[in-house]
Amino acid sequence: MAVEVRGLDIAVHEASGNRIPIVRDISFAIPRGEVLALIGESGSGKTTIALALMGYSRFGADIAADVIRVGDMRIDKMSRSELTRVRGRRVSYIAQSAASGFNPSRTILSQVIEPLLVHRLADRKTAEARAVELFASLALPSPETIGSRYPHQVSGGQLQRVMVAMALITEPELVILDEPTTALDVTTQVEVLKTIKLAMKQSGATAIYVSHDLAVVAQVADRIAVLKDGTMCEEGSVEQILNAPASEYTRSLMAAAQPEARPDAQAAPDNVLTVSSITAGYGRIRDGMPAKPVLRDVSFSIRRGAALGVIGESGSGKSTLARVIAGLLPAAQGDVMLGDEVLPRAMARRSREQLRRVQIVFQHADTALNPAQTVREILARPLAFYHGLKGPAADARVAELLDLIQLPTDVLARRSSELSGGQKQRVNLARALAAEPDVLICDEVTSALDTVVAAAILDLIDDLRRNLGIATIFISHDISNAHAFCDDLLVLYAGSVVELVSRARFSEGLHHPYTRLLVDSVPEMDTGWLARRSAADAPAIARDAISPALCPFLPRCSQAIVGACDTEWPPRRERDGQSILCHRDWGELRPSGHGVQGRTTVMS
């Protein structure tokens, strides 16, 4: 066996002297060249167990085991200096967020070759040649020159593949992949999964893949170990876990990964929010157009108590749209209306009442919540600002808010660092609800959460918007969750609304080619899904690669029409409950990658 773990225990020592176990009696073995997935909720011990194979534990914790073996190395018997020589050489680590794993002041190439130089495995010239080979094998663009760029100059998917190159450059015996695609949109995730699977096969490395997503690990793993509260519920082949799980907990994870559509909301007939012909971006505005445009002619409306899903890949303009509605980014053209009232474009010009009525729940609760304040202080501030509540009246309302978000009162004295990810996001939500808004913008609020916690947060938001009549804008790159949660779906691509569709019409299956690409990119709990996935779907390209007078999806479209798509902006086609921005008629729309028969020639 390439990896063997027996009787692994990890515990934290409190200041009082108590020893609190966080991982208990974990045992598994991995044959050479195979991938074991560690699955479970946040706090189940996945990353803690994986890092123990590098001899690493967080401050105040200790590792005890009968055996921790990687190849011919007894990790559990090594000294700190011996472990230093192993890490990054014979055992490598791929982090969840590549953006935070790179030094922004150094070029990509200098960081990728660093493990070879630090461990004295090659000279600089040889190391650079090896890096270029890896860049090419991982399908990175311009492999000979991409290394001269800085981390911020490549996309998230490209940077994640660069991190894979850095992990593989020393030809390690064990690679630990810690949620490597969680922060990526679905189309980028597909490309990264393909390259990871190919890279693992070519290198012959053994791997541990940490994730909370069963559908993702089904594409890359050979075996799955399911964890809960630091113990192993079950372990088996991917097929056995997916098709005949022995644990009730495993079945609950599978259920959470397949959200069921909620009933349509009984929304009021009046529109509480109307967005009309919004154009917005960054830089100086000239003739109504920003120097760096992001949104182009975006329009929609939402009724009181209804939920609108805004979906699209990273860079499509979803968060920019949220900022425009909230006034954080003034629009260059167009209006945002609350009822019959046109809101000032800039937040600084909006009244306190206008600010109160539109609230945002930000994606990352860690950065949205003040780490120096307690939960009581975080929730009391908007109560004082918007409603003038202080003292006992504020305390009573804080208690009501905690009840709304289903948190116990003992969290009031805690700071955000003392809360779990799900608890932080609930507090983040409660702070927005404290204003008693008419419109609630949820910006990727579940993207950093595991499936079980994310499902609970979605259920909570759904209940609240129905019971309180709040119009909800749900921004996400997860089309399956948006479809289950929302009454209508708005699909953004390169800042343009390419489709607006009711949930009822969505199920009929005729969509803009980009919407179909998103649907087809959602992983299924089927080990053959990635292999069947069409290789024709190209990765995203720069927005300025084509004329702004043409459809922005043209370079990736398998259904483009010669003489139309390559000459003029597409028309907006309307029918009951659905509109698309496309040259093709309804009857000509087909799933991407399938044969297209129409009145004109399909572009090559």
PDB file of all heavy atoms in Angstrom, residues 221-250:
ATOM      1  N   ALA A 221     -12.391   9.941  -7.839  1.00  0.00           N
ATOM      2  CA  ALA A 221     -11.951   9.039  -6.779  1.00  0.00           C
ATOM      3  C   ALA A 221     -12.177   7.577  -7.138  1.00  0.00           C
ATOM      4  O   ALA A 221     -13.035   7.227  -7.963  1.00  0.00           O
ATOM      5  CB  ALA A 221     -12.671   9.374  -5.473  1.00  0.00           C
ATOM      6  N   ASP A 222     -11.389   6.704  -6.491  1.00  0.00           N
ATOM      7  CA  ASP A 222     -11.586   5.257  -6.589  1.00  0.00           C
ATOM      8  C   ASP A 222     -12.381   4.741  -5.395  1.00  0.00           C
ATOM      9  O   ASP A 222     -13.194   3.824  -5.530  1.00  0.00           O
ATOM     10  CB  ASP A 222     -10.226   4.553  -6.644  1.00  0.00           C
ATOM     11  CG  ASP A 222      -9.411   4.985  -7.851  1.00  0.00           C
ATOM     12  OD1 ASP A 222      -9.786   4.610  -8.976  1.00  0.00           O
ATOM     13  OD2 ASP A 222      -8.418   5.717  -7.667  1.00  0.00           O
ATOM     14  N   ARG A 223     -12.121   5.350  -4.225  1.00  0.00           N
ATOM     15  CA  ARG A 223     -12.826   4.954  -3.008  1.00  0.00           C
ATOM     16  C   ARG A 223     -13.249   6.207  -2.250  1.00  0.00           C
ATOM     17  O   ARG A 223     -12.684   7.292  -2.442  1.00  0.00           O
ATOM     18  CB  ARG A 223     -11.937   4.080  -2.098  1.00  0.00           C
ATOM     19  CG  ARG A 223     -11.562   2.756  -2.732  1.00  0.00           C
ATOM     20  CD  ARG A 223     -10.747   1.883  -1.782  1.00  0.00           C
ATOM     21  NE  ARG A 223     -11.516   1.459  -0.598  1.00  0.00           N
ATOM     22  CZ  ARG A 223     -12.367   0.448  -0.599  1.00  0.00           C
ATOM     23  NH1 ARG A 223     -12.581  -0.248  -1.700  1.00  0.00           N
ATOM     24  NH2 ARG A 223     -13.008   0.114   0.513  1.00  0.00           N
ATOM     25  N   ILE A 224     -14.242   6.064  -1.374  1.00  0.00           N
ATOM     26  CA  ILE A 224     -14.757   7.178  -0.578  1.00  0.00           C
ATOM     27  C   ILE A 224     -14.825   6.761   0.884  1.00  0.00           C
ATOM     28  O   ILE A 224     -15.296   5.669   1.206  1.00  0.00           O
ATOM     29  CB  ILE A 224     -16.165   7.596  -1.048  1.00  0.00           C
ATOM     30  CG1 ILE A 224     -16.126   8.149  -2.477  1.00  0.00           C
ATOM     31  CG2 ILE A 224     -16.776   8.634  -0.105  1.00  0.00           C
ATOM     32  CD1 ILE A 224     -17.501   8.474  -3.052  1.00  0.00           C
ATOM     33  N   ALA A 225     -14.341   7.662   1.754  1.00  0.00           N
ATOM     34  CA  ALA A 225     -14.522   7.500   3.198  1.00  0.00           C
ATOM     35  C   ALA A 225     -15.427   8.634   3.670  1.00  0.00           C
ATOM     36  O   ALA A 225     -15.138   9.809   3.425  1.00  0.00           O
ATOM     37  CB  ALA A 225     -13.182   7.548   3.929  1.00  0.00           C
ATOM     38  N   VAL A 226     -16.520   8.298   4.324  1.00  0.00           N
ATOM     39  CA  VAL A 226     -17.500   9.280   4.776  1.00  0.00           C
ATOM     40  C   VAL A 226     -17.270   9.559   6.258  1.00  0.00           C
ATOM     41  O   VAL A 226     -17.245   8.634   7.078  1.00  0.00           O
ATOM     42  CB  VAL A 226     -18.938   8.766   4.554  1.00  0.00           C
ATOM     43  CG1 VAL A 226     -19.949   9.824   4.984  1.00  0.00           C
ATOM     44  CG2 VAL A 226     -19.149   8.396   3.087  1.00  0.00           C
ATOM     45  N   LEU A 227     -17.118  10.834   6.593  1.00  0.00           N
ATOM     46  CA  LEU A 227     -16.764  11.246   7.954  1.00  0.00           C
ATOM     47  C   LEU A 227     -17.867  12.097   8.567  1.00  0.00           C
ATOM     48  O   LEU A 227     -18.517  12.884   7.885  1.00  0.00           O
ATOM     49  CB  LEU A 227     -15.466  12.049   7.950  1.00  0.00           C
ATOM     50  CG  LEU A 227     -14.241  11.328   7.374  1.00  0.00           C
ATOM     51  CD1 LEU A 227     -13.155  12.320   7.044  1.00  0.00           C
ATOM     52  CD2 LEU A 227     -13.733  10.287   8.366  1.00  0.00           C
ATOM     53  N   LYS A 228     -18.032  11.948   9.874  1.00  0.00           N
ATOM     54  CA  LYS A 228     -18.962  12.782  10.634  1.00  0.00           C
ATOM     55  C   LYS A 228     -18.431  12.935  12.042  1.00  0.00           C
ATOM     56  O   LYS A 228     -18.125  11.949  12.726  1.00  0.00           O
ATOM     57  CB  LYS A 228     -20.357  12.179  10.671  1.00  0.00           C
ATOM     58  CG  LYS A 228     -21.414  13.098  11.301  1.00  0.00           C
ATOM     59  CD  LYS A 228     -22.794  12.468  11.254  1.00  0.00           C
ATOM     60  CE  LYS A 228     -23.888  13.457  11.615  1.00  0.00           C
ATOM     61  NZ  LYS A 228     -23.694  14.075  12.942  1.00  0.00           N
ATOM     62  N   ASP A 229     -18.279  14.191  12.484  1.00  0.00           N
ATOM     63  CA  ASP A 229     -17.821  14.492  13.847  1.00  0.00           C
ATOM     64  C   ASP A 229     -16.532  13.766  14.192  1.00  0.00           C
ATOM     65  O   ASP A 229     -16.342  13.255  15.306  1.00  0.00           O
ATOM     66  CB  ASP A 229     -18.906  14.126  14.863  1.00  0.00           C
ATOM     67  CG  ASP A 229     -20.186  14.910  14.658  1.00  0.00           C
ATOM     68  OD1 ASP A 229     -20.099  16.066  14.188  1.00  0.00           O
ATOM     69  OD2 ASP A 229     -21.267  14.376  14.947  1.00  0.00           O
ATOM     70  N   GLY A 230     -15.614  13.699  13.224  1.00  0.00           N
ATOM     71  CA  GLY A 230     -14.299  13.126  13.496  1.00  0.00           C
ATOM     72  C   GLY A 230     -14.218  11.624  13.478  1.00  0.00           C
ATOM     73  O   GLY A 230     -13.165  11.056  13.795  1.00  0.00           O
ATOM     74  N   THR A 231     -15.301  10.939  13.127  1.00  0.00           N
ATOM     75  CA  THR A 231     -15.284   9.476  13.038  1.00  0.00           C
ATOM     76  C   THR A 231     -15.690   9.054  11.630  1.00  0.00           C
ATOM     77  O   THR A 231     -16.330   9.822  10.899  1.00  0.00           O
ATOM     78  CB  THR A 231     -16.236   8.829  14.059  1.00  0.00           C
ATOM     79  OG1 THR A 231     -17.574   9.255  13.788  1.00  0.00           O
ATOM     80  CG2 THR A 231     -15.864   9.227  15.483  1.00  0.00           C
ATOM     81  N   MET A 232     -15.334   7.819  11.265  1.00  0.00           N
ATOM     82  CA  MET A 232     -15.645   7.320   9.939  1.00  0.00           C
ATOM     83  C   MET A 232     -16.964   6.560   9.968  1.00  0.00           C
ATOM     84  O   MET A 232     -17.117   5.583  10.703  1.00  0.00           O
ATOM     85  CB  MET A 232     -14.519   6.417   9.428  1.00  0.00           C
ATOM     86  CG  MET A 232     -14.648   6.054   7.961  1.00  0.00           C
ATOM     87  SD  MET A 232     -13.274   5.034   7.351  1.00  0.00           S
ATOM     88  CE  MET A 232     -11.918   6.191   7.478  1.00  0.00           C
ATOM     89  N   CYS A 233     -17.928   7.015   9.166  1.00  0.00           N
ATOM     90  CA  CYS A 233     -19.222   6.342   9.080  1.00  0.00           C
ATOM     91  C   CYS A 233     -19.138   5.091   8.217  1.00  0.00           C
ATOM     92  O   CYS A 233     -19.713   4.055   8.552  1.00  0.00           O
ATOM     93  CB  CYS A 233     -20.275   7.289   8.502  1.00  0.00           C
ATOM     94  SG  CYS A 233     -20.646   8.697   9.521  1.00  0.00           S
ATOM     95  N   GLU A 234     -18.450   5.225   7.080  1.00  0.00           N
ATOM     96  CA  GLU A 234     -18.284   4.073   6.206  1.00  0.00           C
ATOM     97  C   GLU A 234     -17.208   4.375   5.173  1.00  0.00           C
ATOM     98  O   GLU A 234     -16.854   5.523   4.922  1.00  0.00           O
ATOM     99  CB  GLU A 234     -19.586   3.701   5.500  1.00  0.00           C
ATOM    100  CG  GLU A 234     -20.142   4.738   4.541  1.00  0.00           C
ATOM    101  CD  GLU A 234     -21.400   4.224   3.814  1.00  0.00           C
ATOM    102  OE1 GLU A 234     -21.310   3.165   3.170  1.00  0.00           O
ATOM    103  OE2 GLU A 234     -22.444   4.898   3.914  1.00  0.00           O
ATOM    104  N   GLU A 235     -16.675   3.313   4.583  1.00  0.00           N
ATOM    105  CA  GLU A 235     -15.693   3.434   3.514  1.00  0.00           C
ATOM    106  C   GLU A 235     -15.987   2.352   2.490  1.00  0.00           C
ATOM    107  O   GLU A 235     -16.353   1.222   2.839  1.00  0.00           O
ATOM    108  CB  GLU A 235     -14.269   3.266   4.034  1.00  0.00           C
ATOM    109  CG  GLU A 235     -13.218   3.433   2.947  1.00  0.00           C
ATOM    110  CD  GLU A 235     -11.841   2.934   3.353  1.00  0.00           C
ATOM    111  OE1 GLU A 235     -11.686   2.449   4.483  1.00  0.00           O
ATOM    112  OE2 GLU A 235     -10.923   3.011   2.504  1.00  0.00           O
ATOM    113  N   GLY A 236     -15.831   2.697   1.217  1.00  0.00           N
ATOM    114  CA  GLY A 236     -16.067   1.719   0.178  1.00  0.00           C
ATOM    115  C   GLY A 236     -15.728   2.268  -1.187  1.00  0.00           C
ATOM    116  O   GLY A 236     -15.282   3.417  -1.319  1.00  0.00           O
ATOM    117  N   SER A 237     -15.940   1.461  -2.214  1.00  0.00           N
ATOM    118  CA  SER A 237     -15.710   1.931  -3.577  1.00  0.00           C
ATOM    119  C   SER A 237     -16.711   3.037  -3.905  1.00  0.00           C
ATOM    120  O   SER A 237     -17.773   3.149  -3.265  1.00  0.00           O
ATOM    121  CB  SER A 237     -15.866   0.780  -4.563  1.00  0.00           C
ATOM    122  OG  SER A 237     -17.217   0.353  -4.609  1.00  0.00           O
ATOM    123  N   VAL A 238     -16.372   3.846  -4.896  1.00  0.00           N
ATOM    124  CA  VAL A 238     -17.276   4.927  -5.301  1.00  0.00           C
ATOM    125  C   VAL A 238     -18.638   4.368  -5.686  1.00  0.00           C
ATOM    126  O   VAL A 238     -19.682   4.892  -5.278  1.00  0.00           O
ATOM    127  CB  VAL A 238     -16.667   5.729  -6.469  1.00  0.00           C
ATOM    128  CG1 VAL A 238     -17.671   6.744  -6.998  1.00  0.00           C
ATOM    129  CG2 VAL A 238     -15.398   6.435  -6.039  1.00  0.00           C
ATOM    130  N   GLU A 239     -18.652   3.288  -6.450  1.00  0.00           N
ATOM    131  CA  GLU A 239     -19.918   2.709  -6.893  1.00  0.00           C
ATOM    132  C   GLU A 239     -20.756   2.244  -5.709  1.00  0.00           C
ATOM    133  O   GLU A 239     -21.986   2.440  -5.685  1.00  0.00           O
ATOM    134  CB  GLU A 239     -19.659   1.533  -7.845  1.00  0.00           C
ATOM    135  CG  GLU A 239     -19.127   1.924  -9.215  1.00  0.00           C
ATOM    136  CD  GLU A 239     -17.631   2.227  -9.187  1.00  0.00           C
ATOM    137  OE1 GLU A 239     -16.990   2.017  -8.122  1.00  0.00           O
ATOM    138  OE2 GLU A 239     -17.104   2.682 -10.219  1.00  0.00           O
ATOM    139  N   GLN A 240     -20.104   1.618  -4.731  1.00  0.00           N
ATOM    140  CA  GLN A 240     -20.859   1.122  -3.568  1.00  0.00           C
ATOM    141  C   GLN A 240     -21.440   2.276  -2.765  1.00  0.00           C
ATOM    142  O   GLN A 240     -22.617   2.239  -2.364  1.00  0.00           O
ATOM    143  CB  GLN A 240     -19.946   0.264  -2.683  1.00  0.00           C
ATOM    144  CG  GLN A 240     -20.657  -0.297  -1.436  1.00  0.00           C
ATOM    145  CD  GLN A 240     -20.402   0.541  -0.187  1.00  0.00           C
ATOM    146  OE1 GLN A 240     -19.255   0.754   0.173  1.00  0.00           O
ATOM    147  NE2 GLN A 240     -21.464   1.000   0.475  1.00  0.00           N
ATOM    148  N   ILE A 241     -20.654   3.310  -2.538  1.00  0.00           N
ATOM    149  CA  ILE A 241     -21.131   4.447  -1.743  1.00  0.00           C
ATOM    150  C   ILE A 241     -22.286   5.151  -2.448  1.00  0.00           C
ATOM    151  O   ILE A 241     -23.282   5.532  -1.822  1.00  0.00           O
ATOM    152  CB  ILE A 241     -19.982   5.436  -1.463  1.00  0.00           C
ATOM    153  CG1 ILE A 241     -18.884   4.789  -0.610  1.00  0.00           C
ATOM    154  CG2 ILE A 241     -20.513   6.695  -0.783  1.00  0.00           C
ATOM    155  CD1 ILE A 241     -19.308   4.420   0.784  1.00  0.00           C
ATOM    156  N   LEU A 242     -22.180   5.309  -3.767  1.00  0.00           N
ATOM    157  CA  LEU A 242     -23.216   6.026  -4.505  1.00  0.00           C
ATOM    158  C   LEU A 242     -24.485   5.199  -4.683  1.00  0.00           C
ATOM    159  O   LEU A 242     -25.594   5.733  -4.632  1.00  0.00           O
ATOM    160  CB  LEU A 242     -22.690   6.446  -5.881  1.00  0.00           C
ATOM    161  CG  LEU A 242     -21.568   7.479  -5.919  1.00  0.00           C
ATOM    162  CD1 LEU A 242     -21.201   7.796  -7.357  1.00  0.00           C
ATOM    163  CD2 LEU A 242     -21.950   8.749  -5.186  1.00  0.00           C
ATOM    164  N   ASN A 243     -24.322   3.906  -4.885  1.00  0.00           N
ATOM    165  CA  ASN A 243     -25.471   3.070  -5.237  1.00  0.00           C
ATOM    166  C   ASN A 243     -26.069   2.306  -4.070  1.00  0.00           C
ATOM    167  O   ASN A 243     -27.254   1.973  -4.093  1.00  0.00           O
ATOM    168  CB  ASN A 243     -25.073   2.081  -6.335  1.00  0.00           C
ATOM    169  CG  ASN A 243     -24.641   2.776  -7.609  1.00  0.00           C
ATOM    170  OD1 ASN A 243     -25.245   3.765  -8.009  1.00  0.00           O
ATOM    171  ND2 ASN A 243     -23.590   2.273  -8.237  1.00  0.00           N
ATOM    172  N   ALA A 244     -25.259   2.026  -3.035  1.00  0.00           N
ATOM    173  CA  ALA A 244     -25.780   1.270  -1.894  1.00  0.00           C
ATOM    174  C   ALA A 244     -25.133   1.740  -0.601  1.00  0.00           C
ATOM    175  O   ALA A 244     -24.451   0.972   0.087  1.00  0.00           O
ATOM    176  CB  ALA A 244     -25.531  -0.229  -2.096  1.00  0.00           C
ATOM    177  N   PRO A 245     -25.317   3.014  -0.241  1.00  0.00           N
ATOM    178  CA  PRO A 245     -24.689   3.515   0.990  1.00  0.00           C
ATOM    179  C   PRO A 245     -25.218   2.792   2.221  1.00  0.00           C
ATOM    180  O   PRO A 245     -26.420   2.578   2.352  1.00  0.00           O
ATOM    181  CB  PRO A 245     -25.073   4.998   1.004  1.00  0.00           C
ATOM    182  CG  PRO A 245     -26.300   5.085   0.163  1.00  0.00           C
ATOM    183  CD  PRO A 245     -26.151   4.040  -0.887  1.00  0.00           C
ATOM    184  N   ALA A 246     -24.298   2.436   3.120  1.00  0.00           N
ATOM    185  CA  ALA A 246     -24.701   1.702   4.319  1.00  0.00           C
ATOM    186  C   ALA A 246     -25.123   2.637   5.446  1.00  0.00           C
ATOM    187  O   ALA A 246     -25.889   2.255   6.327  1.00  0.00           O
ATOM    188  CB  ALA A 246     -23.546   0.813   4.795  1.00  0.00           C
ATOM    189  N   SER A 247     -24.642   3.882   5.412  1.00  0.00           N
ATOM    190  CA  SER A 247     -24.883   4.814   6.509  1.00  0.00           C
ATOM    191  C   SER A 247     -26.047   5.752   6.191  1.00  0.00           C
ATOM    192  O   SER A 247     -26.168   6.270   5.071  1.00  0.00           O
ATOM    193  CB  SER A 247     -23.613   5.640   6.770  1.00  0.00           C
ATOM    194  OG  SER A 247     -23.888   6.765   7.559  1.00  0.00           O
ATOM    195  N   GLU A 248     -26.871   6.002   7.179  1.00  0.00           N
ATOM    196  CA  GLU A 248     -27.968   6.965   7.038  1.00  0.00           C
ATOM    197  C   GLU A 248     -27.412   8.361   6.781  1.00  0.00           C
ATOM    198  O   GLU A 248     -27.995   9.154   6.032  1.00  0.00           O
ATOM    199  CB  GLU A 248     -28.832   6.967   8.290  1.00  0.00           C
ATOM    200  CG  GLU A 248     -30.014   7.933   8.239  1.00  0.00           C
ATOM    201  CD  GLU A 248     -30.990   7.613   7.111  1.00  0.00           C
ATOM    202  OE1 GLU A 248     -31.174   6.408   6.821  1.00  0.00           O
ATOM    203  OE2 GLU A 248     -31.539   8.554   6.522  1.00  0.00           O
ATOM    204  N   TYR A 249     -26.262   8.645   7.387  1.00  0.00           N
ATOM    205  CA  TYR A 249     -25.643   9.955   7.190  1.00  0.00           C
ATOM    206  C   TYR A 249     -25.214  10.140   5.730  1.00  0.00           C
ATOM    207  O   TYR A 249     -25.396  11.216   5.158  1.00  0.00           O
ATOM    208  CB  TYR A 249     -24.441  10.108   8.117  1.00  0.00           C
ATOM    209  CG  TYR A 249     -23.691  11.398   7.910  1.00  0.00           C
ATOM    210  CD1 TYR A 249     -24.284  12.623   8.198  1.00  0.00           C
ATOM    211  CD2 TYR A 249     -22.393  11.406   7.398  1.00  0.00           C
ATOM    212  CE1 TYR A 249     -23.610  13.810   7.998  1.00  0.00           C
ATOM    213  CE2 TYR A 249     -21.708  12.587   7.198  1.00  0.00           C
ATOM    214  CZ  TYR A 249     -22.322  13.786   7.494  1.00  0.00           C
ATOM    215  OH  TYR A 249     -21.657  14.963   7.289  1.00  0.00           O
ATOM    216  N   THR A 250     -24.648   9.091   5.130  1.00  0.00           N
ATOM    217  CA  THR A 250     -24.275   9.171   3.714  1.00  0.00           C
ATOM    218  C   THR A 250     -25.495   9.453   2.856  1.00  0.00           C
ATOM    219  O   THR A 250     -25.457  10.258   1.924  1.00  0.00           O
ATOM    220  CB  THR A 250     -23.598   7.868   3.263  1.00  0.00           C
ATOM    221  OG1 THR A 250     -22.511   7.572   4.129  1.00  0.00           O
ATOM    222  CG2 THR A 250     -23.073   7.997   1.838  1.00  0.00           C
TER     223      THR A 250
END
